[in-house]
Amino acid sequence: MKRQLNFFAALATVMGTMIGGGAFFKIANISSLTHNAWLSILVWPLAGFITLMAGLSIAELASVFPEDGGPVRYLDEIYGPKVSFLFGWSLIIIYYPANIAALSIVFATQLKEIPQFKNFSTTIIALIVMLVVLLINWLGSKLSGQVQKITLVIKLLPIAAIIIFALFYQGPNQLAGAPAPHLTSGAGAATFGQALLAVLFAYDGWLSIGNLASEIRNPAKTLAKAIIWGLFGVTIFYTLLNWSYVKIIPWSKVVGNQTTALLTAQKLFGHFGSIIIAIGILVSVFGAINGHTLLGSRMPYVLGKEHQLPAANFFGSLNSKTMVPTNSMLFECAIATVMIFSGTFDSLTNMLVYVSWIFSILLFVGVLILRKRQPKLERPYKIPWYPLPPLLAICGALFIVITTTLTQPVLSAIGILLTLSGWPVYLYVHRQKAN
């Protein structure tokens, strides 16, 4: 693949893949869990801090192994092929298709808020937007990269508009009489853990930028810079955006309400202005779908190219004209189609984040292992304040995984079982190689 993506394209992919449905719709889920306005705001910078610590840690691995495969490659170098394959398998059958499906569902839900589309089927709209994104990516990574740049700029406009106008809003401040945040029991802490899991979907996506290593110029330095600056910027945007919601809209109308962002826009800009904001939100979600399709199609391609999947030649081939892995792209969208028919936004996103953070713990521990095992290994980027960032990332990830396992056992079990379903596939492929 050609190295045609510069730093801004990499940064746009990091931020563009992260900023999507979660920025505008997760407040409904979070407010229902915390039952406190201030906790619903504070959970965003906390999740951002955990993610930034994770980003500082992973950036070092990205600089050491600037190759296709991203986190799968890092796990392979540290733990060996069995662990890395299971992570790759979970990305292929859970993470990327669940992201594509969940965001397509939320795009359809948001579009139906516009009166002209109210009577359309949510499922049909979700399928159509997924197919449009598929076509864009089919035409080449240069076009899909341009879409990421354009949608990033456009998606920041509604966020910036809401934040700026909220700062100068002269109406009643709904936070003025809000009760102080408190976690007084184990149940409260567990519920807060569920809220953290929900928020982390909004921060999700940055880890996969490593999948584009062979298409990024000077990946050893560019990847680290894109990850760190992308995470820092998104944390600020998310915190201020959710503060804006809760400041302007009465708390009773925020809890469990997936149209909170639209209500805020109507309060700030009136009916016409809220339509413009709604379009901006749709562009935001569209860009996130595009980012996950762009990144997700590279994972089956990498594993196929290395003959780690059945039908390896099918997955490991590139389109002769556009040089993109169209077969892998079709496979991911086929799984996403099944999920669109069977899942909901919150259930899909919670499961993909849960599985992702289990493997993230291994990655953070892997940074410590690699430092000890190969202290003289060339590291174009080294973690500042080492070993504090990976240790903090491990603690945050463990809290999320443990509380989710205890409070959502069915969801956790499904995620783990789907991941472990890759084990017989791994054994089959390696048995075939031996023969």
Side-chain angles (χ1 to χ4, degrees), residues 270-287:
H271 177 68
F272 179 76
S274 69
I275 292 175
I276 301 300
I277 296 297
I279 293 171
I281 294 172
L282 287 171
V283 172
S284 173
V285 178
F286 186 88

Side-chain angles (χ1 to χ4, degrees), residues 45-79:
L46 177 59
F49 176 76
I50 294 171
T51 309
L52 186 58
M53 293 300 101
L56 290 171
S57 305
I58 300 301
E60 179 169 302
L61 295 178
S63 73
V64 173
F65 308 114
E67 306 159 7
D68 277 349
V72 174
R73 173 70 63 202
Y74 315 151
L75 287 172
D76 184 49
E77 295 287 345
I78 299 167
Y79 299 103

Side-chain angles (χ1 to χ4, degrees), residues 331-360:
F331 182 74
E332 291 299 282
C333 287
I335 300 175
T337 299
V338 175
M339 290 182 169
I340 286 173
F341 280 102
S342 62
T344 63
F345 177 63
D346 286 322
S347 63
L348 288 171
T349 55
N350 285 348
M351 182 170 65
L352 71 88
V353 171
Y354 172 74
V355 173
S356 174
W357 277 86
I358 291 175
F359 284 100
S360 292

Side-chain angles (χ1 to χ4, degrees), residues 285-323:
V285 178
F286 186 88
I289 300 169
N290 181 70
H292 284 293
T293 304
L294 171 66
L295 295 170
S297 61
R298 272 58 178 176
M299 184 51 59
Y301 165 73
V302 169
L303 293 182
K305 190 173 65 172
E306 296 178 352
H307 297 279
Q308 294 188 48
L309 289 175
N313 292 334
F314 174 83
F315 290 110
S317 65
L318 296 173
N319 186 295
S320 59
K321 293 183 178 180
T322 60
M323 300 306 291

